[in-house]
Amino acid sequence: MMSAKDAKCRLVGHWAGLFSSLAPQISPAITNTGKHTACPVHGGKDGFRVFKNFPETGGGICNTCGEFSDGIALLQWANDWSFKETLRAINQFLNGSIQSTRNHSMKPIATINSKPNAKSQKNINKVLGQATSIKGVTACYLNNRGLGKLALNAINDLKEVESLPYWQDGRILGAYPSMIGLIRNLAGDVVSLHRTYLNPQGHKANVPSTKKLMSPALSGAASGCTIQLFKPTSQLAIAEGIETALAVHLSTNLPVWAAISATMLEKVQIPASVQEVFIMADKDVSGAGERSANKLAQRLLKEDGNITVKICLPPLAIPEGKKSIDWLDIYNIKNAERAA
C-alpha cells in the first residue's frame, strides 16, 4: 500500500477530485475556497473553510473541531475514519485513476464501497438509548426561545438527554443536558443525531459550539436527510434550524422538517406524497440561505414538474449588527408587537 507521504505527493492538484468522490460533504467549501461554510460534521453556518492552498495541501479548518493541515487528516476527520481506513481508501482511489503530472485533469471514478463505521453507530445508539421525551430542561429551553405554545407531545423526532458529555479536542469539557434531533432518511432510518447542548436553566450551554452533528455510521448517509418534526400531508415546509422550523409550525400550522444547515437544505429529499413545498429560508448578510433555498427549489422542480415550490424569506430587514434574520425572529417580533 502506498505511504501517506507518496499519496500526498501524487494528490497535489487533485484533492478536489478525491473529496468529490470520497467526502462530497466537503464540496461546498471547495467550491468557495477560502470562504467560510457550514461545518460538514457538526453543521452550523460559517465555521468551516478549506485553505487557499487546498489544491496543494488538501487542508482545512473548523473553528470548533480544529485544524487539519493536509487532505489525509481532513478526510479522516470528515468521514470519522481511522488513519488506516483513510489511507486504504485513498490508495483505492488512486489506483490507475491519476497521472503524475499536476496539469492532468482527474477523471471521475466509482465511489469506494464503504462499510458502516461501528464506532459511529455505537455512539449514535448510546445517545438514543439515553434519550427521553421532551421535558424539563429542553421544554424550558424551547420556552426561553419563545416557543412555549408548542404541544410538545405532537413533535416527532425531538428528544432530550439529561446529561451528555461534551467532547473538544479529544477531551471532555463537561456534561450537559441536551436537546436531540433524530436525523432520518425517507425510509425512516435514523442515520445521525443533532445535539444542542444546554445549561440547567434552559439556555445554550457555555461551550465552543452549542450545536453539533454526530458522524453517521455510513459516510454521506446524512445527505438529503432531515429532522422530521411533523408528519407531512400534501404540504411540507422545510427550514434550516430546529427552532426556526418549530416557529414556522406555530405560525402556519404546516408540517415542517428541519434541514439543520443551509448546505444540507440544498439536498433535502421530499416524500412522493408531497405536492406543495414551502422553503422557509433564512435571510443572511452573506445570502447563503437564499442561495441554498434556490438550489433546493430548482432541484425539486427538475425532479418533479408537477410539484409546487415556494421560497419564503423573512419580510423584515436584517437588524443592524446581526448576520441574519429567520422565521423564529419574525415569530417572536410579531408576538412582542401583539403583547405591546
Side-chain angles (χ1 to χ4, degrees), residues 96-178:
S97 66
I98 186 171
Q99 301 294 324
S100 299
T101 172
R102 286 181 55 183
N103 296 324
H104 187 276
S105 60
M106 181 179 291
K107 296 180 180 179
I109 64 170
T111 304
I112 294 171
N113 292 323
S114 56
K115 58 182 180 180
N117 185 299
K119 179 183 175 182
S120 296
Q121 189 62 59
K122 182 179 179 181
N123 291 339
I124 291 170
N125 292 343
K126 183 177 180 180
V127 176
L128 278 176
Q130 298 174 275
T132 63
S133 58
I134 302 172
K135 58 184 179 181
V137 176
T138 299
C140 184
Y141 169 71
L142 294 175
N143 184 64
N144 289 338
R145 296 302 306 272
L147 299 168
K149 293 182 179 180
L150 283 164
L152 299 181
N153 60 353
I155 304 172
N156 300 323
D157 290 349
L158 205 58
K159 306 288 184 181
E160 74 170 48
V161 169
E162 185 176 346
S163 180
L164 192 66
Y166 184 95
W167 288 83
Q168 178 76 11
D169 299 328
R171 62 190 181 94
I172 297 176
L173 299 187
Y176 303 87
S178 302

Side-chain angles (χ1 to χ4, degrees), residues 75 120 132 165 167 186 237 262 277 302 333:
L75 182 64
S120 296
T132 63
W167 288 83
L186 288 186
V277 178
K302 185 177 180 180
I333 289 169

Side-chain angles (χ1 to χ4, degrees), residues 32-54:
N32 300 280
T33 297
K35 296 182 180 179
H36 288 83
T37 63
C39 174
V41 171
H42 66 73
K45 290 189 176 181
D46 55 4
F48 176 75
R49 63 182 172 87
V50 297
F51 296 136
K52 291 183 178 179
N53 65 351
F54 176 82

Side-chain angles (χ1 to χ4, degrees), residues 247-285:
V248 168
H249 177 73
L250 281 174
S251 301
T252 65
N253 204 35
L254 286 167
V256 191
W257 289 358
I260 305 162
S261 69
T263 303
M264 295 182 73
L265 179 80
E266 299 173 12
K267 300 177 176 65
V268 168
Q269 297 295 319
I270 303 297
S273 59
V274 173
Q275 300 170 7
E276 190 173 14
V277 178
F278 299 87
I279 305 174
M280 311 301 291
D282 290 4
K283 184 186 286 185
D284 308 302
V285 171

Side-chain angles (χ1 to χ4, degrees), residues 60-83:
I61 184 171
C62 172
N63 294 339
T64 299
C65 304
E67 180 177 337
F68 308 93
S69 60
D70 60 59
I72 294 179
L74 185 65
L75 182 64
Q76 182 177 344
W77 163 73
N79 287 343
D80 195 25
W81 286 342
S82 68
F83 178 79

